[in-house]
Amino acid sequence: MFAAENGLRGDPRLQAISEAIRVVPHFPKQGIMFQDITTLLLNHKAFKDTVDIFVDRYRDMGISVVAGVEARGFMFGPSIALAIGAKFVPLRKPRKLPGKVISEAYELEYGADCLEMHVGAVQPGERALVIDDLVATGGTLSAAIRLLERVGAEVVECACVIGLPEVKGQHKLNGKPLYVLVEPREIDDCY
């Protein structure tokens, strides 16, 4: 569900967050309107507002794990985890974590990929939040849910800063709630 549909309609922070995200046409390939959150990170107030909205939502949900999807989930996840008193667990691409890992493969529209997590990072019964910057088809988030559930975690919700219009109205992902702050913008004035 989009934040504006869940109590934040008209909240000026959502507009500021949306405007802080740069749109780069035709990157990384023709036809893609890349949503560049690095400009959001440069805007202290918009970045803080992004984290604060998530913290306000998750503070009282008994979440003990914030699992961030590589790489942009790493930019929001640790701040949220610290603020709600949870640990941060990175979900990485293959061969990026040392030691024993558990893996979950998934299909993409252009191939396949895999997420990995350290064995023992999450204990059975822990309540988890999955965080990433953007949800398009939900394939990566679905793999993150499966990975966490395989070790016995209860995934409470998935959260993203940006959700493509295709996921609007999609309040669940693999049966888990999906929470999105803003829709992508089409074009940036600086291009």
Side-chain angles (χ1 to χ4, degrees), residues 93-184:
K93 299 294 183 181
R95 296 172 301 284
K96 301 278 182 151
L97 292 171
K100 294 183 80 171
V101 297
I102 181 171
S103 302
E104 183 68 37
Y106 60 102
E107 295 296 319
L108 299 165
E109 58 185 298
Y110 51 85
D113 212 339
C114 181
L115 288 177
E116 294 183 342
M117 173 177 70
H118 276 128
V119 170
V122 177
Q123 303 304 309
E126 287 196 281
R127 292 172 51 86
L129 165 68
V130 178
I131 183 89
D132 204 357
D133 69 324
L134 183 140
V135 58
T137 65
T140 305
L141 292 176
S142 293
I145 292 168
R146 291 191 306 272
L147 183 61
L148 290 160
E149 288 181 338
R150 282 178 45 209
V151 298
E154 175 192 350
V155 177
V156 175
E157 190 162 89
C158 293
C160 292
V161 177
I162 307 162
L164 296 189
E166 293 79 13
V167 299
K168 193 161 191 165
Q170 185 174 330
H171 301 293
K172 301 271 186 190
L173 190 64
N174 278 21
K176 303 300 175 188
L178 173 64
Y179 186 72
V180 176
L181 296 188
V182 299
E183 291 185 57

Side-chain angles (χ1 to χ4, degrees), residues 51-66:
V51 172
D52 286 350
I53 291 170
F54 286 131
V55 168
D56 289 346
R57 181 168 179 84
Y58 299 114
R59 171 181 289 125
D60 298 321
M61 288 192 180
I63 292 168
S64 57
V65 174
V66 175

